[in-house]
Amino acid sequence: MSLYTEPATTITDEALTAADHIRLADRHAAHNYAPLPVVIASGHGCWVTDVAGNRYLDCLAAYSAVNFGHGNERILAAARAQLNRVTLTSRAFHHDQFGPFSAELTALIGKDQLLPMNTGAEAVESGIKVARKWAYQVKGVPDGRANIVVAANNFHGRTTTVISFSDDPDARADFGPYTPGFRAVPFGDAEALAAAIDTDTAAVLLEPVQGEAGVIPPPPGYLARVRALCTERNVLFIADEVQSGLARTGYTLACERYGVVPDMYLLGKALGGGVVPVSAVLADADVLGVLRPGQHGSTFGGNPLACAVAREVVALLATGEYQERARQLGEYLHERLAELVGRGLTAVRCVGLWAGVDVDPAVGTGRGVCERLLAHGVLAKDTHGQTLRLAPPLVIERAELDFAVDALRTSLGEIAGR
Ligand SMILES: Cc1ncc(COP(=O)(O)O)c(C=O)c1O
């Protein structure tokens, strides 16, 4: 009898095989993901090891939440020190990590204030609430009429309001009724954006680089035009940098790369150092100042452990080292991936150390390539059928990028040769 059929109390973790783990998850957890058949037991830097002791190069980095590498010593030391002191107080009281965290992150990002939350989707929800309140209280939009303009093919998370303005049928179907007040325009089309804004528009909400859509960079000049339109029409420009932010694109913020300063940043993922979920909304006081006590909150948002970890993340970012690595290694990755265009790939887009790679439909699917990559010791994730995202931890070395690209070349060759 397989271990997974025995009562849970008799199961010791050491006795479980990868197949046992996968069967346990299949039987006892919702099937809202279709993970590759690998069961990770440990991670260090840009490598993870499975329960059988096989090593894999992590080219997803938990969708950029592990930018600083698995088990980053500085981040772990900050977490351990805080674990021994206090981990959760709620915001009913002050604690000694919150003020310094707020001061240090706002200084790094260049905004007056922050609003701490946990997940990326919560940061997006919070940004929407703040923008709506700003529209009613500051801009003077009539009650209940505020609208927010978003981009087609966006990905901002999974909550009910956020999927209300998604156009991905998987994300949306059968989860209605949907939250009203959003209008979508094509990403990169400034004229469509200008036409969608009216006197009741509170905000324009965009990912500066569309991540889940397949690492789609903005067309030249687009974000500057968005900035100008928002200023002219008295609309908040909200940049969702949950995935693009915190060094991934070679800059602390992707907006910096494109020379624009939005009114509000949404941060998440890497802010928690791959240890705890930490997200934040950052804006100046004339925007975040619309919130008064009791109007918004979160039991875990801004907790001592999260703040201690995020302070170390801010300290790592303040050196500029990770941004520099992402810029240089990103150029190298782009060069190496470009060799495969016409040899199994139809296109490659790199923004810093973040690549969207389109697999030739004549060769195979994104998922099929990920499965072959797994066999060659590389973890990557497909999106929208034909595309792979590559976003390794920023601690990766050139030789490891070579390992990943060589594995991709071999995988494409194997699939094409079938
Ligand atoms: C741009 C963007 N915003 C928001 C989110 C949601 O973050 P979370 O999964 O932490 O809720 C994601 C997640 O991939 C994202 O890429």
Side-chain angles (χ1 to χ4, degrees), residues 90-104:
S90 86
R91 296 223 22 229
F93 317 107
H94 290 276
H95 65 76
D96 67 5
Q97 295 299 303
F98 188 68
F101 159 68
S102 303
E104 289 158 13

Side-chain angles (χ1 to χ4, degrees), residues 63 118-122 124 155-158 207 211-212 240-244 269:
Y63 306 94
N118 309 284
T119 64
E122 281 177 292
V124 177
F155 186 86
H156 297 282
R158 299 291 193 172
E207 301 157 84
E212 295 304 297
D240 180 347
E241 295 247 18
V242 166
Q243 196 166 165
S244 60
K269 294 197 194 279

Side-chain angles (χ1 to χ4, degrees), residues 100-409:
F101 159 68
S102 303
E104 289 158 13
L105 183 59
T106 53
L108 179 80
I109 301 301
K111 291 290 182 197
D112 295 342
Q113 295 184 342
L114 62 74
L115 168 65
M117 301 299 288
N118 309 284
T119 64
E122 281 177 292
V124 177
E125 289 272 349
S126 305
I128 290 168
K129 287 176 70 177
V130 169
R132 285 179 169 182
K133 206 174 251 304
W134 174 87
Y136 299 127
Q137 295 195 345
V138 179
K139 183 169 173 172
V141 172
D143 192 34
R145 296 244 305 259
N147 68 70
I148 293 180
V149 183
V150 300
N153 295 324
N154 66 69
F155 186 86
H156 297 282
R158 299 291 193 172
T159 58
T160 314
T161 288
V162 170
I163 57 105
S164 295
F165 54 88
S166 168
D167 47 22
D168 175 354
D170 283 340
R172 219 182 122 83
D174 298 332
F175 294 126
Y178 304 105
T179 307
F182 299 94
R183 31 181 89 157
V185 295
F187 182 67
D189 184 343
E191 296 323 308
L193 183 74
I197 293 174
D198 64 18
T199 51
D200 294 337
T201 302
V204 171
L205 167 62
L206 295 176
E207 301 157 84
V209 176
Q210 290 194 312
E212 295 304 297
V215 190
I216 312 292
Y222 174 63
L223 293 181
R225 185 86 183 96
V226 173
R227 173 66 279 176
L229 274 171
C230 287
T231 305
E232 274 163 31
R233 313 280 285 272
N234 194 23
V235 165
L236 298 178
F237 177 9
I238 307 177
D240 180 347
E241 295 247 18
V242 166
Q243 196 166 165
S244 60
L246 309 183
R248 175 56 59 189
T249 68
Y251 294 80
T252 303
L253 299 155
C255 283
E256 216 180 314
R257 186 181 169 109
Y258 299 104
V260 294
V261 178
D263 300 293
M264 189 189 287
Y265 292 106
L266 309 177
L267 300 179
K269 294 197 194 279
L271 190 56
V275 176
V276 276
V278 186
S279 66
V281 175
L282 287 105
D284 282 337
D286 58 337
V287 176
L288 267 183
V290 298
L291 286 182
R292 308 304 309 153
Q295 295 178 346
H296 191 59
S298 157
T299 302
F300 290 92
N303 69 71
L305 181 60
C307 289
V309 165
R311 288 182 71 190
E312 198 55 41
V313 166
V314 171
L316 292 174
L317 287 167
T319 66
E321 178 194 333
Y322 291 89
Q323 296 86 327
E324 182 63 27
R325 289 186 70 81
R327 272 201 296 273
Q328 290 189 2
L329 291 167
E331 278 175 26
Y332 183 64
L333 179 64
H334 196 192
E335 270 170 38
R336 290 293 331 267
L337 287 171
E339 294 166 12
L340 303 181
V341 174
R343 296 178 186 163
L345 301 183
T346 53
V348 168
R349 297 167 296 280
C350 277
V351 186
L353 195 54
W354 196 17
V357 167
D358 296 340
V359 176
D360 186 342
V363 170
T365 62
R367 172 76 185 199
V369 174
C370 287
E371 285 167 359
R372 289 312 311 153
L373 279 172
L374 177 68
H376 292 291
V378 174
L379 301 185
K381 174 80 178 86
D382 56 302
T383 182
H384 296 289
Q386 290 309 124
T387 302
L388 302 191
R389 266 97 37 96
L390 299 177
L394 307 177
V395 297
I396 198 166
E397 300 288 344
R398 268 177 180 240
E400 293 163 327
L401 287 176
D402 286 333
F403 178 84
V405 177
D406 292 346
L408 180 57
R409 181 196 301 272

Side-chain angles (χ1 to χ4, degrees), residues 38-50:
V38 56
V39 181
I40 296 166
S42 64
H44 184 71
C46 50
W47 292 89
V48 295
T49 304
D50 73 8

